[in-house]
């Protein structure tokens, strides 16, 4: 049967994707080491000593407002955007994993000798949570550390334009690497959920004991009709949508794979503006540069304010959550 071939092919695909993902993690770790070496080169020996006391405070002093600084841009605009991206991804992962974990427990008794019984869900789902949430935390720490290095260096005073440009490049590298970390986490979730969904469809099909010559359309209808009894939950909704639309990824909208795009755009603009000023010989007055980029940051907040969203409530809408998960599965 084609559905059996598809299920087995997806298991192979899942294994290969995991191997590729592990390889990507290894490459990312090597890249992080390079970034750390460059950052150590950039920082002075006393870099580990906080230069501002509490890194989250913005002190006022002297004739010029100290809020005209990288600290103002990060803590007022970019750090809240970073936290929102991390929170949204973490809550989504929790919402999906919790539902699938419960769904597998409901489904298994209805499908004797089920291959998905070998998933050892007591181990799989906690490990999946730990890996994904740990990877999200690593991405957050990487980006925040890169910004903290610039903030501390700037607070010491007399940070020249070339040094600032180098620090901004380190931030760009850290943020793009953070995106790779987050994509690795989402890929792990996608591969796991896809394997569970496709093999759940297969085991429900097997439990129906349909004749071998049953047409694939009739198989899909038979499986679909049984789902309300054996999988009346989120997993059943995803399985039903796959049966209705087919498994071809081109039939689904894909998610964006640059979760830190707002931060990346802002830092790209900061880096480009300073690079151009240096090339034109107009980067002597760094105070003017920081006034301009802080003004641009404030303008971004007016144009694209961070709105309050209760994501836990949003993810209670299983229709929305199902569509989002189908998009995730189509992306990886």
């Amino acid at each position: 049967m084609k559905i059996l071939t598809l299920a087995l092919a997806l298991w192979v695909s899942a294994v290969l994707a995991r191997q590729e993902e592990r390889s990507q993690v290894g490459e990312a770790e090597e890249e992080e080491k390079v970034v750390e070496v460059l950052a150590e080169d950039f920082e002075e020996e006393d870099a580990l000593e906080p230069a501002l006391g509490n890194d989250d405070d913005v002190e006022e002093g002297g004739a010029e407002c100290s809020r005209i600084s990288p600290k103002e841009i990060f803590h007022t605009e970019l750090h809240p955007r970073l936290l929102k991206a991390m929170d949204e991804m973490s809550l989504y992962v929790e919402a999906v994993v919790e539902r699938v974990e419960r769904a597998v427990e409901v489904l298994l008794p209805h499908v004797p000798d089920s291959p998905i019984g070998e998933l050892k869900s007591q181990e799989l789902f906690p490990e999946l949570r730990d890996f994904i949430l740990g990877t999200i935390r690593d991405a957050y720490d990487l980006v925040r550390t890169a910004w903290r290095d610039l903030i501390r260096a700037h607070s010491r005073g007399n940070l020249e334009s070339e040094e600032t440009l180098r620090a901004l490049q380190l931030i760009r590298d850290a943020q793009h690497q953070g995106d790779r970390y987050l994509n690795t986490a989402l890929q792990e979730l996608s591969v796991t959920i896809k394997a569970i969904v496709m093999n759940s469809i297969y085991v429900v099909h097997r439990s129906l004991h349909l004749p071998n010559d049953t047409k694939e359309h009739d198989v899909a209808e038979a499986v679909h009709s049984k789902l309300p009894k054996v999988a009346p939950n989120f997993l059943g909704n995803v399985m039903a949508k796959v049966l209705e639309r087919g498994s071809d990824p081109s039939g689904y909208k894909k998610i964006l794979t640059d979760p830190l795009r707002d931060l990346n755009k802002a830092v790209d603009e900061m880096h480009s503006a300073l690079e151009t000023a240096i090339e034109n010989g107009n980067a002597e007055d760094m105070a003017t540069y920081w006034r301009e980029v802080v003004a641009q940051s404030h303008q971004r907040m007016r144009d694209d304010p961070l709105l309050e969203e209760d994501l836990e409530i949003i993810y209670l809408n299983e229709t929305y959550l199902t569509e989002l998960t189908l998009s995730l599965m189509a992306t990886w």
Side-chain angles (χ1 to χ4, degrees):
M1 294 295 294
K2 291 182 181 178
I3 196 166
L4 171 59
T5 304
L6 177 61
L8 293 178
L10 277 164
W11 268 118
V12 173
S13 174
V15 171
L16 292 176
R18 272 198 171 84
Q19 290 174 343
E20 180 182 356
E21 173 265 312
R22 301 302 179 196
S23 174
Q24 289 173 347
V25 170
E27 292 173 2
E29 288 174 349
E30 289 300 317
E31 291 172 359
E32 183 174 354
K33 290 178 183 177
V34 173
V35 172
E36 289 173 350
V37 168
L38 290 174
E40 289 171 0
D41 219 12
F42 172 77
E43 288 287 278
E44 299 176 1
E45 291 182 0
D46 63 343
L48 295 179
E49 292 298 323
L52 301 177
N54 184 338
D55 279 341
D56 295 323
D57 289 340
V58 178
E59 298 178 352
E60 305 287 348
E64 188 171 355
C65 176
S66 64
R67 294 179 71 91
I68 307 302
S69 68
K71 171 170 272 190
E72 166 71 5
I73 297 169
F74 182 62
H75 287 294
T76 303
E77 181 200 2
L78 299 186
H79 189 240
R81 294 190 191 280
L82 175 63
L83 285 176
K84 182 179 180 181
M86 303 294 102
D87 288 346
E88 184 168 355
M89 189 175 296
S90 299
L91 289 170
Y92 169 70
V93 169
E94 287 285 4
V96 170
V97 173
E98 180 183 356
R99 284 170 171 79
V100 173
E101 186 175 17
R102 289 202 310 263
V104 169
E105 293 174 357
V106 173
L107 177 62
L108 286 178
H110 293 276
V111 282
D113 303 320
S114 165
I116 64 172
E118 299 174 5
L119 284 173
K120 298 181 180 177
S121 58
Q122 297 86 349
E123 299 175 8
L124 171 68
F125 294 108
E127 288 178 0
L128 183 63
R129 279 192 187 90
D130 290 346
F131 173 78
I132 296 177
L133 298 179
T135 303
I136 292 172
R137 179 70 194 186
D138 288 345
Y140 170 80
D141 288 342
L142 183 66
V143 173
R144 192 170 189 271
T145 297
W147 270 99
R148 181 178 290 178
D149 288 343
L150 172 57
I151 290 168
R152 288 175 172 176
H154 179 84
S155 72
R156 296 188 185 101
N158 300 319
L159 191 65
E160 295 181 356
S161 58
E162 293 285 356
E163 294 173 308
T164 302
L165 186 68
R166 189 178 180 193
L168 288 172
Q169 183 59 55
L170 290 174
I171 291 173
R172 289 176 78 184
D173 293 343
Q175 290 182 177
H176 286 294
Q177 187 170 320
D179 266 337
R180 290 192 289 272
Y181 276 20
L182 298 176
N183 283 327
T184 294
L186 290 174
Q187 182 182 14
E188 181 75 6
L189 180 63
S190 174
V191 168
T192 302
I193 299 303
K194 189 184 299 184
I196 291 174
V197 168
M198 299 310 298
N199 283 276
S200 295
I201 291 173
Y202 167 62
V203 298
V204 173
H205 163 215
R206 256 184 41 178
S207 72
L208 296 173
H209 303 295
L210 299 173
N212 290 333
D213 59 351
T214 304
K215 294 182 179 179
E216 190 162 359
H217 174 74
D218 296 331
V219 170
E221 283 194 349
V223 174
H224 195 289
S225 67
K226 191 172 182 181
L227 291 182
K229 297 179 180 179
V230 302
N233 45 40
F234 173 72
L235 178 59
N237 292 339
V238 177
M239 293 164 64
K241 291 295 183 182
V242 171
L243 287 167
E244 291 169 9
R245 302 181 192 177
S247 59
D248 183 358
S250 64
Y252 302 90
K253 181 180 178 181
K254 296 186 179 182
I255 66 171
L256 297 174
T257 56
D258 50 348
L260 302 183
R261 54 191 172 276
D262 290 339
L263 280 75
N264 293 335
K265 181 180 179 182
V267 175
D268 286 346
E269 290 173 355
M270 292 171 63
H271 184 278
S272 178
L274 183 55
E275 189 174 44
T276 300
I278 292 173
E279 291 174 353
N280 295 336
N282 300 324
E284 295 299 323
D285 184 6
M286 289 302 293
T288 298
Y289 167 77
W290 285 116
R291 278 195 295 273
E292 290 175 354
V293 294
V294 166
Q296 291 167 3
S297 174
H298 292 169
Q299 185 61 50
R300 284 194 299 269
M301 288 189 290
R302 288 190 290 271
D303 294 340
D304 184 22
L306 279 172
L307 303 177
E308 289 290 333
E309 293 180 314
D310 192 333
L311 292 168
E312 292 184 359
I313 296 296
I314 291 173
Y315 290 145
L316 287 177
N317 183 336
E318 292 207 349
T319 299
Y320 172 73
L321 195 63
T322 297
E323 291 297 332
L324 191 57
T325 302
L326 290 169
S327 295
L328 177 76
M329 292 165 57
T331 305
W332 286 285

